[in-house]
Amino acid sequence: MRRQFFWEHFDEKQSLVGVLCAEGFFLTHLYVQRRGEGIGRALYSFYEEILKNRMEEGQVVRLNATLLSVPFYEALGFSVKDQVQEIYGISFVPMEKKLKKDLY
């Protein structure tokens, strides 16, 4: 059985403005209502820190990025791993990021 994890981000008015969903080391969804405010980066950073505390060195986070979101994920350190693919008329790009444990 796979476990899905959900993290939400609310603004000062308690309105939901961002959601991240993941199954272990596979990021399934990252949605923000207002782009350019750092909400997506904050949600991903929180998720990555949780993974780093539970992982072995060198594990990989994977995701299927929409074509428009590829630059965002590249800015987070992800790299394209395959050519553009399509399922049910939706195009996406497989991406991944190798994690490194922080040494304190």
Side-chain angles (χ1 to χ4, degrees):
M1 181 171 130
R2 296 177 108 172
R3 290 187 181 180
Q4 285 191 335
F5 298 94
F6 298 86
W7 290 273
E8 304 89 15
H9 183 81
F10 295 88
D11 66 10
E12 63 283 346
K13 296 178 184 175
Q14 297 305 309
S15 297
L16 182 64
V17 293
V19 176
L20 181 145
C21 306
E23 291 182 9
F25 285 81
F26 189 80
L27 179 60
T28 59
H29 299 86
L30 178 56
Y31 169 79
V32 295
Q33 186 176 25
R34 300 185 307 243
R35 292 183 180 181
E37 296 182 18
I39 297 167
R41 182 177 293 277
L43 282 166
Y44 177 76
S45 295
F46 181 74
Y47 164 63
E48 187 175 289
E49 286 305 311
I50 290 171
L51 293 179
K52 285 181 179 180
N53 289 324
R54 298 179 181 181
M55 67 173 232
E56 298 296 321
E57 182 68 29
Q59 283 190 282
V60 176
V61 177
R62 291 185 171 84
L63 58 87
N64 292 327
T66 63
L67 301 180
L68 293 175
S69 66
V70 169
F72 169 75
Y73 289 113
E74 287 176 329
L76 292 177
F78 282 84
S79 58
V80 172
K81 285 299 161 195
D82 204 347
Q83 61 189 352
V84 175
Q85 300 179 24
E86 186 176 310
I87 296 178
Y88 303 117
I90 300 171
S91 298
F92 64 91
V93 178
M95 300 184 79
E96 68 179 35
K97 179 180 181 180
K98 188 173 184 178
L99 298 181
K100 296 180 182 177
K101 261 194 177 301
D102 292 330
L103 300 174
Y104 293 105

